[in-house]
Amino acid sequence: GVAYTGGGGSLPIVFDLVDRYPKAQILLTGLIRQDSNIHAPNENIDLDLCKKLICALTRVISAVSQQ
């Protein structure tokens, strides 16, 4: 198969997850808006957007797992 990988900042937890679950496929996705103020004291996420992303990912993972 083909694996598509993205680049960016690393998150140390990914290495822990890979060590703990070596057969798992790890997916990280950003969930920010223009006003999220990443790495600022008032950093925030939109919880409604977060819920929508979780629902969308659930549907995609479910559909892929049934193929």
Side-chain angles (χ1 to χ4, degrees):
V2 176
Y4 296 96
T5 60
S10 65
L11 298 173
I13 191 170
V14 174
F15 300 108
D16 295 334
L17 291 171
V18 169
D19 287 343
R20 176 101 173 152
Y21 305 102
K23 294 182 180 180
Q25 295 181 13
I26 308 299
L27 170 67
L28 297 178
T29 181
L31 184 64
I32 61 170
R33 298 182 321 177
Q34 244 179 345
D35 63 347
S36 293
N37 301 318
I38 298 304
H39 305 304
N42 60 346
E43 181 174 5
N44 64 84
I45 63 170
D46 181 324
L47 292 179
D48 288 331
L49 183 60
C50 187
K51 290 174 187 175
K52 288 177 183 178
L53 176 62
I54 291 168
C55 289
L57 289 174
T58 301
R59 290 178 182 155
V60 169
I61 291 168
S62 178
V64 169
S65 70
Q66 295 177 16
Q67 293 182 357

